[in-house]
Each structure stands twice: as structure tokens, then as C-alpha cells.
Amino acid sequence: MKRREFIHIGMGAAAALAAGDIPALAAGKPGKAGRRPKTLVIGIDGLDPHLTQVWMKQGRLPALQKLVASGGMRRLGTSLPPQSPVAWSDFIAGMGPGGHGIYDFIHRDPQTYMPIFSATETQGGGRTFRLGKYVFPLSGGQVVNMRDGRAFWQVLEDHGVPAVIVRMPSNYPPVPTRQRTFSGMGTPDIKGSYGIFNYYTNAYRELDREAGGGGRVHEVYVIGNRVEASIPGPVNTFLKDAPEARADFRVFIDRDHPVAKIAVQGQEFILKEKEWSGWIRVNFDLIPTQSVSGICRFYLKELRPKFKLYVSPVHIDPARPALPLSTPPSYARELSDQFGSFFTKGLPADTSALENGVLDETEFLEQDEDILRESLELFEYELNRFNEGLFFYYFSNADQRQHMFWRFLDRNHPSYDPDLAERYHDVIADTYVQMDRAVDTALRKADKDTVVMVMSDHGFNPFRRGFNLNSWLLDSGYHRLTDSRKRAETSLFMDTDWSRTQAYGVGLNSLYINEKGREREGTVAPGADKDRLIREIADRLESIVDPATGERPILRAYVSRDVYTGKHLDSAPDIVVGFNQGYRIAWESPLGGFPEEVLTDNREKWSGDHMSSPEVIPGILAMNRPIPAEAPKLKDVTVSILDLYGIGPDEDMTGRSVFHKE
């Protein structure tokens, strides 16, 4: 099974669920707070403290310089591991993974050993009845947010403090609240995936890599200057065998000029070569009385000599959301009325299309600039009506561009290309400048009583070398295959001999012991045997030396029971692998692959990352107030926000206010 198939299977069911209104909450407890300052928090994913300081010194980030001069700046301790879903969950809930239960992008089912998405789960909706070719559910299903712990804006609500939370990662579906919230990272496309683009061409090719999503290539034929094709939509569970719903379209190519007319469901628009469309609404019919609405953009990459048409992942339509996007549900429609269609998928930049060469660097940036423009418009809209309480706004662009353009900053990166570097060397710096302008906008709107915070979940570093954890476990005798000669071909542990396996890796930083009574075919007894094995593997991981560089790929191998506390400790991986600077988990390992080589050069465009030990890659906290705490962490920011309103931490929160010395 390929990774693309796994993504389809893992998330596909979610897209079939009809949206339902979030239940109204019982009334909160108004008026507990004795004072109500305004607090504005700008979350910039991946803003690196080292790069920020370098460019502040060069005078390129004047707004951040002004903010820091009026208060302070600290390196912000990130989560373990420093993956975005984990880090933002730390911030949302004011506690570590042992409390909120999110340890990795990917968890595993110990009964099947299969990877599962950590953030959401589809529940219910199993009973059906059939009528002819149709299959009707007898009860509704739902997508469940798996993060535990109350969000800080729910606590604020209890105390009568209003909050607006826009695009908060790890908040899908948005948790119940009467506060105005719009979901961020983790929000799927219309198919329930992290984002599947479609590419129509008569120069057919396979996709090599899925980086942050996926894609499908459709072979088409140009007949009489006309192309006919369709956009795949959600799985239609109303039909027997649950086929994909589809939206047909046609392309009419001008005989003399590099121009084409595209017709889809009664809409017609003209694109020149190298031109993007605006958002196009497409409806996917399920049964005669029900359809699902999505929005997408077309990019006419080339007409001759080959036909090449890119269609973005189909986002959930905010005007008619098929899955929950906001609280209250009317907020998404309100924004749609204000702005028209806009991106709703959690991480909208199409890194997978760039990784596979479907979009080049310039085309990727054109798309991401439009995403940033939409973000800034919504940011300013909410900023202009921010009169009380708390306003949080999140930007994804710095994170996504550092993932894809780090290779142009780093001459030692295996993917460094001097010619391309000459064109794109400043992309990351320019993105920091754009983020600085957003800070400047905020500072201009903020009065003297408004607390302004800028924070990031982690920093960034190069991803030059990949470490195949499962290959190392296999070579070290901790993992067994039924036929090791097939190791390079296997994935998803298809050829694993679990009766002889002691350990396995799933996800980006997680290692599990094959424990008796927990795993389906566990071999290691819990207690002393398991503890001895964990310590042995952790020690051996930390002693590995990369023969190509002389460096240690793994800075620290964290034993979960030494570093985590909380009610979800039993679901933690047994070891969390903390990589050294320049290293990350290799591409094949997270989903159960066993390439021949343990350590390999990363020659992909996805060249910057943040899977290191937390001490290697802190985030940033800057604000217009002094920060007495010398080593704050993400979960401390949560408690600090509550502290501004005279509210103590919720019962399970483990952070401490940064406004007090440690």
C-alpha cells in the first residue's frame, strides 16, 4: 500500500459526514475577571529565533524590533517532539502531550500496527439501509477532535472574557464554544485528506513524493482542441460500493493563441498560459436531494506542446461548509459573505505539487502569495473590530516556505542548486519581512493598554540527512521480516514477523516496544523486561555516529516515562527520538518502510524541518511587556494569557505564567 492510499483510507471517511451544528454551550460564568485588558496574539508558525535576530540586527524587521524594545523577547521552549500538532496542542491546553494526548502527527493502533492520524477520529454512522442503488445511514457520524484538555478560550469564556481565535492549528473540528473561532491546521479538504491536488496532462508521469499532502495525475487527450475531464470529490457513501463523486469540466483550446476557455457546471472562464483562476465553486452530487460544495483554483501551466492543467485541492466551501469550520457555524458563512470564497484547508500551500515538479518554485510562491493576501485581509478585518478580550491569529506561510526553500540558504544541503539559489535565496528573509509588516499593522491598531504577543511553535533547521529508524531496528535485530530480501519493497509493516519483533517505529519521532498485552502480537513482557529493552535501545540510538559526517544523528532518545506526565501517558510512544541539527526521520520510515540504507542524503525540495530535540529548535516569544521568566515554554504562554485576566490555570494545566520569575 502506498502512502497516498493510506491518506485516502485514513481520512476519506471524514469527508462523507454531513456537517452538524456544534451544540450550544450552557451559559458561562460572566464577570469573574476583575480587569479586562485587550490581548492580541500573533502566531507565526516556524518563526526561528536565530534568523529573527539576524534580520532584526540588519534592520529588516523594524516592527519586531519596536515590539521587543517596548517589552522583551525570549526563546520559547517548544514541545517534545517539536511537531506542529504537538506544539500547538501544548499551547492550546497549557500542558504537555501526556495531558492532551497528541504525541505525533501519526499514532498507531496497537491491535493492527497500522498508522492512524493523531488529531481526529471518525466515529459512528455505521448502520445503514439500502434502497435500490442507494445506501442511507440510519444515524449520523461525526469527526472528533482527539486533543484532550480545555482550550484556553473555553476557560476565558467561563470567566466572561470574549475571544476571537482564527486558524488555530490542532483545533479541528473546532471545540465547542460560544467564542468566535475558525479552524486551522488539520482542517481537511473536501475529500477528508490533508490536500490532494489534481493534474491533467497528456505528458503523463507518476508522482514521486508526498510532502504535506498528495496529488493525482490524470492522463487526458486533446481531441479537436478540446479536453474533457472531471474533478474527484468525496466518497459517495449513499451509493453501493461508495464511488467518488465527480464534477465534470471541459477545456476549449484556442487554435491560434495560448488561451483556453474552461467550462465547469455552468461557469465559464478564460485562462492564458501561466495564469491562475480565482476560486471556482464545484458541486458534487450525492443523491438527487443532496450535494457537497467545494471550491478550487485552476492553473493553466501549458497548452502546447503538451497540455498541463493543475487544479488545487478542493477546499471546503465556507459558504456551504460540508464539515464544521467555525464556531458558531454561521461565522464561516459570515466571512464568506464578507470576502467571497477563500482558502479553508489547514495548510493551503501545495508543498506536494512543488515537491513533485507539478508546480515550480515561482508558481508555488504565486499560490502562496495569494494565500498570504487572503490571510492578511481576514487579519485586518478582525483587527478592525477587535475592541475587547483576546484576539489570536495564525500565519502558516513562514513554516511552509522554510520547509521548501531552506535548500537555497544552505550551501551544504544536498539539494542546493546555485542557479536556483540566485533566484530564491531571499524567499525566507522576504517572508519574515512580510510577517513583520503584519506585526506592524497590529502595533498601529493597538492602544497602550493592549498586550501584543508574537509567538512561534518552534524554530527551523536544515534537513540534510535522513535516518531510517525501522531500517536501523531491523539491522540491529530488534525488528524481524518474514523475508528480509524484500525489505526495500515493503511498507506499512506488510512483511513484518511480529512474533519475533521487539520494537518498531511509527510517525516522525515515535518508537514503540512490541509489548505483550498491549500490541496484538506483543513479544516483550511489560515491567523489567520492557524497561531494560527501552534503556538499551535509547542508549544505542544516542551512540550512533553518521560515517559520512562524523556527527550523531540522534541527539537524545527520550524515554517517555522520564519526560511525560498526565492521564494519557499509557498511549505515549515508548521512546521519542530527538534528532540532531541537520537530521530528521527519513521519508520511508514513518509508515513502516525498511530501505537498505539507514542514513541517506535528503535530495528533496522539502529541505528544512523541525523534528529535532527541543533544545535545538526553540520558538520565539516577543511582547510589549517585560518577560521575567528566563526560559518560558509554550504551555507557559497559555497560563500567562489567563493571568492577564486574573484567571488561574485550569485544573490540568501545567504551565506557569511568564510574568513571574521562575
Side-chain angles (χ1 to χ4, degrees):
M1 181 181 288
K2 296 179 179 179
R3 281 190 296 276
R4 184 161 52 242
E5 295 169 330
F6 166 72
I7 290 172
H8 294 174
I9 292 170
M11 300 292 287
L17 298 173
D21 286 355
I22 293 175
L25 287 180
K29 303 170 186 173
K32 279 194 171 182
R35 55 192 171 88
R36 292 189 176 180
K38 289 197 297 182
T39 306
L40 170 56
V41 183
I42 302 174
I44 303 177
D45 205 311
L47 195 73
D48 182 78
H50 174 71
L51 294 181
T52 299
Q53 288 177 319
V54 168
W55 290 324
M56 280 174 64
K57 286 179 181 174
Q58 294 176 359
R60 301 182 72 173
L61 309 177
L64 273 166
Q65 187 73 57
K66 180 180 177 182
L67 178 69
V68 173
S70 63
M73 181 167 72
R74 298 288 190 196
R75 294 194 170 210
L76 185 60
T78 185
S79 57
L80 174 67
Q83 299 180 31
S84 291
V86 186
W88 290 105
S89 293
D90 276 17
F91 172 57
I92 291 171
M95 63 180 76
H100 56 66
I102 305 297
Y103 291 97
D104 199 303
F105 265 105
I106 299 170
H107 290 175
R108 89 327 180 190
D109 180 344
Q111 293 307 302
T112 64
Y113 300 97
M114 293 297 289
I116 55 176
F117 285 98
S118 62
T120 59
E121 182 178 281
T122 303
Q123 298 179 350
R127 297 178 60 211
T128 59
F129 78 95
R130 289 188 177 183
L131 183 63
K133 64 179 182 179
Y134 296 114
V135 181
F136 294 92
L138 291 173
S139 60
Q142 60 177 338
V143 183
V144 177
N145 187 328
M146 299 302 289
R147 191 197 68 249
D148 202 357
R150 303 188 70 221
F152 65 83
W153 57 91
Q154 292 176 304
V155 180
L156 291 174
E157 181 179 354
D158 286 349
H159 292 265
V161 179
V164 177
I165 309 292
V166 182
R167 301 198 188 282
M168 176 67 80
S170 299
N171 186 43
Y172 186 81
V175 293
T177 178
R178 289 182 300 170
Q179 310 276 29
R180 208 157 61 237
T181 73
F182 196 91
S183 61
M185 181 194 302
T187 306
D189 66 5
I190 200 69
K191 294 181 66 60
S193 80
Y194 278 162
I196 306 292
F197 69 80
N198 290 285
Y199 185 51
Y200 303 87
T201 181
N202 51 7
Y204 187 80
R205 45 160 297 189
E206 293 280 349
L207 299 180
D208 303 319
R209 184 75 66 197
E210 288 164 358
R216 289 167 67 170
V217 179
H218 306 266
E219 187 171 18
V220 296
Y221 301 94
V222 180
I223 300 176
N225 289 311
R226 178 169 156 169
V227 172
E228 295 189 356
S230 63
I231 302 170
V235 170
N236 187 355
T237 55
F238 288 103
L239 288 179
K240 183 181 176 183
D241 299 329
E244 286 180 321
R246 286 183 170 267
D248 297 333
F249 67 91
R250 289 176 289 175
V251 182
F252 301 93
I253 301 171
D254 189 280
R255 293 179 182 275
D256 303 316
H257 302 93
V259 174
K261 180 175 75 175
I262 299 177
V264 51
Q265 297 183 333
Q267 306 164 87
E268 293 185 348
F269 52 96
I270 293 174
L271 292 179
K272 298 182 290 187
E273 270 189 351
K274 309 294 184 189
E275 186 178 19
W276 291 86
S277 75
W279 288 107
I280 304 298
R281 179 168 286 128
V282 289
N283 291 305
F284 298 96
D285 293 330
L286 303 181
I287 54 177
T289 59
Q290 189 162 345
S291 65
V292 171
S293 179
I295 56 173
C296 59
R297 297 184 65 195
F298 290 69
Y299 176 69
L300 188 55
K301 187 177 177 75
E302 182 179 308
L303 282 174
R304 300 182 181 90
K306 293 296 183 180
F307 179 84
K308 298 176 182 177
L309 176 68
Y310 163 90
V311 178
S312 73
V314 182
H315 293 227
I316 297 169
D317 184 353
R320 295 177 53 199
L323 289 164
L325 292 175
S326 66
T327 62
S330 60
Y331 182 42
R333 293 190 288 272
E334 174 198 332
L335 295 178
S336 177
D337 290 343
Q338 178 68 29
F339 297 105
S341 296
F342 58 91
F343 77 86
T344 59
K345 189 173 78 67
L347 288 175
D350 200 340
T351 53
S352 186
L354 175 56
E355 186 63 63
N356 285 285
V358 171
L359 297 179
D360 64 23
E361 284 77 6
T362 295
E363 293 161 343
F364 172 86
L365 287 173
E366 288 173 352
Q367 183 188 50
D368 202 46
E369 281 295 309
D370 286 341
I371 290 165
L372 178 58
R373 176 183 51 76
E374 290 184 359
S375 284
L376 290 170
E377 289 174 356
L378 178 51
F379 176 60
E380 292 193 45
Y381 172 73
E382 286 296 352
L383 196 59
N384 284 333
R385 58 180 187 169
F386 172 48
N387 295 316
E388 60 177 341
L390 179 134
F391 174 35
F392 171 90
Y393 199 91
Y394 166 87
F395 290 96
S396 64
N397 310 81
D399 176 87
Q400 299 290 276
R401 295 183 192 180
Q402 286 177 105
H403 277 304
M404 305 309 292
F405 288 82
W406 195 278
R407 57 199 156 111
F408 303 127
L409 284 182
D410 181 7
R411 291 178 180 273
N412 296 320
H413 197 283
S415 293
Y416 180 78
D417 181 317
D419 295 332
L420 288 175
E422 191 169 338
R423 294 177 60 188
Y424 300 111
H425 178 270
D426 286 333
V427 165
I428 293 175
D430 290 344
T431 304
Y432 275 54
V433 170
Q434 290 172 309
M435 294 297 100
D436 189 73
R437 289 179 187 144
V439 175
D440 181 64
T441 301
L443 292 177
R444 291 177 186 278
K445 297 284 185 183
D447 58 34
K448 64 181 178 58
D449 296 322
T450 301
V451 178
V452 180
M453 296 184 187
V454 174
M455 60 172 291
S456 64
D457 52 340
H458 52 70
F460 252 81
N461 69 30
F463 170 23
R464 301 186 189 115
R465 297 274 288 168
F467 177 75
N468 279 302
L469 176 59
N470 280 313
S471 295
W472 180 83
L473 289 169
L474 180 65
D475 292 347
S476 302
Y478 297 115
H479 200 102
R480 300 288 185 176
L481 297 178
T482 54
D483 185 351
S484 60
R485 293 170 298 180
K486 297 180 179 177
R487 62 180 290 174
E489 305 165 13
T490 192
S491 64
L492 294 173
F493 304 113
M494 286 188 296
D495 296 302
T496 290
D497 180 352
W498 291 108
S499 68
R500 296 191 300 144
T501 287
Q502 294 179 296
Y504 59 105
V506 173
L508 302 174
N509 292 89
S510 301
L511 185 153
Y512 297 89
I513 300 299
N514 191 26
E515 180 183 328
K516 285 182 180 175
R518 185 181 69 177
E519 268 75 6
R520 186 188 65 207
E521 298 177 57
T523 60
V524 181
D529 286 355
K530 178 183 171 186
D531 292 344
R532 178 199 53 75
L533 181 61
I534 288 174
R535 300 289 174 187
E536 175 185 307
I537 292 176
D539 287 346
R540 291 189 64 181
L541 284 170
E542 289 185 355
S543 66
I544 295 171
V545 175
D546 183 350
T549 65
E551 298 174 348
R552 289 169 48 208
I554 296 164
L555 188 63
R556 293 187 62 187
Y558 299 89
V559 176
S560 292
R561 292 194 176 276
D562 294 345
V563 294
Y564 292 137
T565 59
K567 59 185 177 183
H568 292 286
L569 185 56
D570 287 345
S571 60
D574 296 300
I575 295 175
V576 179
V577 180
F579 292 98
N580 209 344
Q581 189 170 42
Y583 289 85
R584 204 206 74 167
I585 194 80
W587 292 102
E588 293 83 357
S589 191
L591 298 182
F594 298 85
E596 297 284 351
E597 294 182 280
V598 172
L599 285 154
T600 55
D601 278 343
N602 172 37
R603 300 190 179 280
E604 307 297 333
K605 296 171 184 172
W606 185 287
S607 48
D609 220 302
H610 45 85
M611 303 301 162
S612 312
S613 284
E615 59 263 43
V616 174
I617 202 162
I620 193 171
L621 175 65
M623 74 168 91
N624 59 353
R625 297 290 188 276
I627 309 173
E630 294 180 357
K633 298 178 181 177
L634 277 165
K635 60 184 181 180
D636 299 332
V637 182
T638 323
V639 174
S640 308
I641 290 171
L642 299 178
D643 191 25
L644 286 169
Y645 297 92
I647 303 169
D650 217 34
E651 183 181 2
D652 296 329
M653 291 181 176
T654 55
R656 296 190 295 181
S657 173
V658 303
F659 299 117
H660 306 291
K661 262 199 171 295
E662 294 153 345

